[in-house]
Amino acid sequence: MIAQSMQAGAAMNQIQTKPVLLIALGGNALIRKGQVGTVAEQFANLRLPVRQIAGLSLDHRLIITHGNGPQVGHLLLQQECCDQGVKLPLEILVAQTQGQIGYMIESTLDSALMELGIHDEKPFVSLLSYVVVDRNDPAFREPTKPIGPIYDQSQAARLPFPVRKTARGYRRVVASPKPITIVEKREIARLIAMDFIVICCGGGGIPVIRDGRAFAGVDAVIDKDLASARLALEVGVDLFVIATDVAGTAVHYGTDRERFLDRLSPAEARRLLLQGEFPPGSMGPKIEAAVEFVEASGKRAVITGIDAIEAAVRGKAGTEVAATRA
Ligand code: ADP
Ligand code: MG
C-alpha cells in the first residue's frame, strides 16, 4: 500500500514538473487558403499540427485552443439556405462549432497518440467554454467583426442586422468584445494538473454576460488569440504558442522591405502595433495577445507557422515575444 502510494506520489511529482503549453490553432489548421473546407479536408489538415502536439505531450502538459470562423460561416449559410423558422443565435453556433471541432481534434489526436504508442497513458478531453464579456464593452456600440456569407448590395439592404462593405462584398458585422475571464478556468487547471490534454475556448469561447451568479449568452464573437491569452494567464501556462499560416511576424509585411522578426520585446511590439505594422483582425490580435501574456507573466510567447509548432517550442522557429534579458 505504502509503496503504491509512494509510486503514485512520484508520478504526480513528475507531472507537476512538466511545463504547460497553450497552443492556439489558427484557421489554417482546419481549412487552407483556396479550399472549400470539406470535412475530409479538415481532418487531413489537422494531422500536421496534431502530430506535433502528440509528440510534445511526451514532455509537456497541453492546452489546445482553436478558431472557428469558417465553420460558423458554414452554419450561418446553411441556416439561410434552409430557413425553417428557427434561427439559431451566434452563441449557439459557437457552442456547436466547439463540439464539432473538438471532436475532429480529439479523433485526430487519438490516432496520433496511437502512432506514438502512448495512447493509453494520455487522456484528453474537449470542454465547452464560456468567456465572460462586459455588457458595457464599447465593441457593442460599434460592431466591427465580419462573419458569415457575402451579400450583394440589394441583399445587404434587406438584412435584419448591421452589415459592412468589405473587400469581398457586404458582410454581417458583430461586436468583438474583450474577454474578461474564462468561466471554466478552475476545471481546466484541474485537468491540466492531472496531465489531461484539454481542448477548450474554441472560437474564442461562447460569449456570456454575467448577471449576478447567472450567465446569459450574447450575439458577439471573441477573438480566439485574446481569449487564449486570458486563459494562459488564468491557468498559469509556461509558454503560449500561436500557430498560424505565416512563419511569424514581419515588419513592412507584404512589401519589398519585408523583414522577419525573430524576437520582439513587449515594448517594441507595442510601438510597432501603434505604427500600424500589425492590422486588426489578423496579426494585430496575435501581437496584443502575446504582449498581454508576456507582460503579466514574465514568460515567453511565440507566433509561428502551423508546420513549425515543435521547433517554436524548442526556440528554433517563429517570432518570440519575451522581455529582454538584463
Ligand atoms: P489565424 O486564422 O491563424 O488567426 P489570421 O489570418 O487571423 O490567421 O492572421 C494571420 C495573417 O496575418 C497572415 O496570413 C498574414 O497575411 C497576416 N499579417 C498581417 N500583418 C502581418 C505581419 N506584420 N507579419 C506577418 N503576417 C501578417
Ligand atoms: Mg485570426
Side-chain angles (χ1 to χ4, degrees), residues 107-122:
S107 73
T108 310
L109 190 56
D110 196 47
S111 313
L113 293 170
M114 206 115 72
E115 280 166 27
L116 290 175
I118 53 169
H119 175 256
D120 286 340
E121 64 255 43
K122 215 19 109 175

Side-chain angles (χ1 to χ4, degrees), residues 22-23 25 53 62-66 105 109 197-200:
L22 188 153
I23 301 179
L25 296 177
I53 290 170
L62 278 157
I63 300 173
I64 304 170
T65 64
H66 59 85
I105 296 176
L109 190 56
I197 301 175
V198 185
I199 303 154
C200 57

Side-chain angles (χ1 to χ4, degrees), residues 78-100:
Q78 283 174 6
Q79 291 210 75
E80 296 201 0
C81 292
C82 180
D83 185 354
Q84 296 171 308
V86 182
K87 278 263 189 273
L88 301 176
L90 210 42
E91 80 206 72
I92 300 292
L93 299 183
V94 175
Q96 289 188 349
T97 60
Q98 287 189 350
Q100 160 188 352

Side-chain angles (χ1 to χ4, degrees), residues 90 139 142-147 162 172-177 219-221:
L90 210 42
E142 201 205 339
T144 54
K145 172 79 183 169
I147 60 159
R172 176 179 177 188
V173 282
V174 294
S176 186
D219 241 9
V221 294

Side-chain angles (χ1 to χ4, degrees), residues 48-59:
L48 175 63
V50 169
R51 274 185 174 163
Q52 298 174 74
I53 290 170
L56 286 164
S57 75
L58 290 167
D59 48 4

Side-chain angles (χ1 to χ4, degrees), residues 3-323:
Q4 243 176 27
S5 72
M6 275 173 66
Q7 254 177 13
M12 210 57 203
N13 283 344
Q14 246 175 15
I15 292 173
Q16 301 308 334
T17 57
K18 285 206 292 185
V20 182
L21 297 182
L22 188 153
I23 301 179
L25 296 177
N28 68 319
L30 290 144
I31 304 175
R32 303 273 174 87
K33 277 201 179 102
Q35 293 182 331
V36 286
T38 64
V39 168
E41 282 170 338
Q42 297 190 51
F43 270 120
N45 293 333
L46 270 176
R47 289 175 65 81
L48 175 63
V50 169
R51 274 185 174 163
Q52 298 174 74
I53 290 170
L56 286 164
S57 75
L58 290 167
D59 48 4
H60 297 84
R61 289 177 282 163
L62 278 157
I63 300 173
I64 304 170
T65 64
H66 59 85
N68 70 347
Q71 290 77 11
V72 164
H74 287 163
L75 292 176
L76 283 167
L77 194 59
Q78 283 174 6
Q79 291 210 75
E80 296 201 0
C81 292
C82 180
D83 185 354
Q84 296 171 308
V86 182
K87 278 263 189 273
L88 301 176
L90 210 42
E91 80 206 72
I92 300 292
L93 299 183
V94 175
Q96 289 188 349
T97 60
Q98 287 189 350
Q100 160 188 352
I101 299 170
Y103 156 65
M104 295 180 103
I105 296 176
E106 281 195 13
S107 73
T108 310
L109 190 56
D110 196 47
S111 313
L113 293 170
M114 206 115 72
E115 280 166 27
L116 290 175
I118 53 169
H119 175 256
D120 286 340
E121 64 255 43
K122 215 19 109 175
F124 51 82
V125 66
S126 25
L127 203 86
L128 281 179
S129 322
Y130 310 166
V131 174
V132 178
V133 298
D134 182 351
R135 70 167 84 237
N136 296 315
D137 192 303
F140 285 111
R141 290 196 292 276
E142 201 205 339
T144 54
K145 172 79 183 169
I147 60 159
I150 294 160
Y151 305 97
D152 64 32
Q153 198 169 2
S154 65
Q155 287 171 317
R158 292 195 301 271
L159 294 170
F161 37 68
V163 291
R164 178 179 275 201
K165 195 173 178 185
T166 70
R168 290 156 60 202
Y170 289 85
R171 292 181 78 192
R172 176 179 177 188
V173 282
V174 294
S176 186
K178 289 253 173 313
I180 295 172
T181 186
I182 315 303
V183 174
E184 297 79 10
K185 54 185 174 289
R186 288 177 208 86
E187 288 83 348
I188 296 167
R190 279 200 191 180
L191 289 164
I192 287 301
M194 292 189 289
D195 207 12
F196 273 72
I197 301 175
V198 185
I199 303 154
C200 57
C201 282
I206 302 165
V208 295
I209 283 172
R210 187 170 260 155
D211 219 344
R213 284 199 46 77
F215 298 105
V218 278
D219 241 9
V221 294
I222 301 171
D223 181 85
K224 72 112 179 29
D225 295 312
L226 297 179
S228 301
R230 275 279 92 221
L231 177 63
L233 288 170
E234 294 190 322
V235 174
V237 316
D238 297 295
L239 174 63
F240 175 26
V241 181
I242 302 176
T244 184
D245 62 353
V246 284
T249 301
V251 281
H252 308 301
Y253 178 73
T255 71
D256 50 9
R257 288 160 65 216
E258 179 173 310
R259 185 168 54 83
F260 189 82
L261 301 164
D262 294 318
R263 207 184 148 80
L264 264 177
S265 69
E268 283 170 287
R270 277 188 190 282
R271 185 172 55 79
L272 294 171
L273 196 60
L274 281 175
Q275 287 173 7
E277 292 283 353
F278 313 128
S282 64
M283 193 47 71
K286 296 185 198 311
I287 292 286
E288 274 179 56
V291 167
E292 185 185 335
F293 173 72
V294 171
E295 283 183 340
S297 68
K299 293 175 179 156
R300 294 189 300 137
V302 55
I303 300 167
T304 189
I306 207 92
D307 55 338
I309 296 173
E310 256 182 311
V313 170
R314 318 263 178 232
K316 302 209 180 320
T319 299
E320 183 182 83
V321 181

